[in-house]
Amino acid sequence: MDWRRHFVWYPSGTGTKGNTMSLAPVGIVGAGRVGAVLGARLRASGYPVVAVAARSEASLLRARTFLPGVPVREAAEVVGASEVLVLAVPDDSLAALAEELAEHVRPGQLVIHTSGRHGRAVLAPLAEVGARTAAFHPAMTFTGSDVDVDRPCVVGLTTTDEDRAAVEALALAVGGTPVHVAEADRVVYHAALAHGANHVVTVLNQAMDLLRSIGVSDPSSVLEPLVRASVTNTLAYGDAALTGPVARGDAHTVAAHVGAITDREIASTYTALSAATIERALRDGRVDESAAAQLRGTLSAGIER
């Protein structure tokens, strides 16, 4: 399918509609790790990126690196120069930015934001003056470096039925796979991504800290094969991928682990995740109620010590 046929095309010059058409001009407010990369991806797909707003030195550097030649303007000027406006700012700044830009947007202008948490409601001030609004969240960890430019990912969309094809076209243009999320489900959607990705970073760093504490000089090389296999198997097989002492009902090993971890932060994480794992193993039939009760008791004893 040619995604371009679903989007709004504009004459390449003035006057009446001709045979030569171009994709709608894009403006980006926020040249952070996400905004600069999305701009580069859209540009590579043929969208003219006509202006970008960047305030910090880091954002200015990203704008120059990822979008060379694109003028840096104030946010209101970016709005005026674009037909598609991308708001790539932190979640907690989005509502205030929408209020600020409401007097500048035009009826029919498409405004999308990159927040995972928010749907269209946060852009209500813009919709009230006739802008078309949508949530457009790339489900990817962005580093702000060139490795991000070619990484495929899902894009979590919340849009109207009328704008569905246009916003899907943008998702395809940045190399994404569009997935639609209802307005009421945005927070749960974002919580799932944070829990599944951000918390893994904490767990892996804690595991590497433990290995360093016993003199392992390269803990990542020890964990990498195991972690890759675990992630691959879990995504393919769900709870059936679970291995380890909890899945075996080995309360003595769990007790030994709890006793050996002296770092309180890591011990707290280990205990909480072990408790959750016990319940999943029980539901999946990996352990019976008796083994689960023994494992719970082991964790409780560890917390009390």
Side-chain angles (χ1 to χ4, degrees):
M1 179 180 69
D2 181 2
W3 55 266
R4 293 171 185 252
R5 69 185 176 87
H6 292 292
F7 201 54
V8 180
W9 296 78
Y10 291 81
S12 58
T14 58
T16 58
K17 181 175 179 180
N19 294 326
T20 303
M21 306 295 286
S22 61
L23 289 166
V26 175
I28 298 171
V29 176
R33 295 182 178 185
V34 178
V37 170
L38 288 184
R41 291 187 180 192
L42 287 168
R43 202 181 196 187
S45 294
Y47 283 86
V49 178
V50 294
V52 59
R55 293 180 178 176
S56 71
E57 287 299 319
S59 293
L60 287 168
L61 178 60
R62 290 191 192 97
R64 289 194 294 267
T65 301
F66 288 98
L67 299 167
V70 175
V72 178
R73 299 284 186 259
E74 292 298 320
E77 295 177 285
V78 175
V79 175
S82 61
E83 293 295 338
V84 176
L85 180 66
V86 180
L87 305 182
V89 299
D91 290 6
D92 290 349
S93 303
L94 191 53
L97 180 63
E99 292 280 359
E100 176 187 334
L101 298 181
E103 64 180 293
H104 302 290
V105 299
R106 304 179 301 281
Q109 188 170 20
L110 178 60
V111 184
I112 65 175
H113 70 70
T114 61
S115 167
R117 167 191 166 194
H118 293 291
R120 295 181 58 243
V122 72
L123 299 183
L126 307 181
E128 287 170 4
V129 295
R132 301 147 58 203
T133 61
F136 188 94
H137 175 247
M140 176 53 64
T141 296
F142 286 82
T143 65
S145 66
D146 57 5
V147 301
D148 298 329
V149 174
D150 296 320
R151 280 179 170 170
C153 66
V154 161
V155 182
L157 308 178
T158 302
T159 183
T160 63
D161 290 341
E162 292 78 9
D163 291 326
R164 182 183 180 108
V167 179
E168 285 183 350
L170 288 171
L172 293 169
V174 300
T177 301
V179 170
H180 290 270
V181 182
E183 181 81 24
D185 295 333
R186 292 295 300 196
V187 176
V188 173
Y189 156 80
H190 195 230
L193 299 186
H195 191 45
N198 304 152
H199 295 169
V200 166
V201 175
T202 299
V203 170
L204 289 178
N205 276 306
Q206 288 183 346
M208 288 193 287
D209 287 345
L210 286 175
L211 290 171
R212 289 189 192 98
S213 75
I214 61 171
V216 176
S217 60
D218 186 9
S220 62
S221 67
V222 176
L223 287 170
E224 183 175 6
L226 178 64
V227 170
R228 286 188 183 278
S230 180
V231 169
T232 298
N233 291 342
T234 301
L235 293 175
Y237 304 116
D239 284 325
L242 182 62
T243 62
V246 169
R248 296 191 296 268
D250 193 344
H252 295 294
T253 297
V254 172
H257 289 175
V258 173
I261 300 173
T262 58
D263 183 294
R264 293 181 65 84
E265 177 188 300
I266 299 176
S268 176
T269 305
Y270 180 93
T271 299
L273 292 178
S274 293
T277 303
I278 291 167
E279 303 312 314
R280 297 198 73 90
L282 181 62
R283 290 197 301 270
D284 195 50
R286 310 299 292 277
V287 297
D288 58 23
E289 185 55 55
S290 175
Q294 188 176 8
L295 287 163
R296 293 190 198 104
T298 295
L299 294 179
S300 296
I303 292 171
E304 292 168 3
R305 72 177 171 84

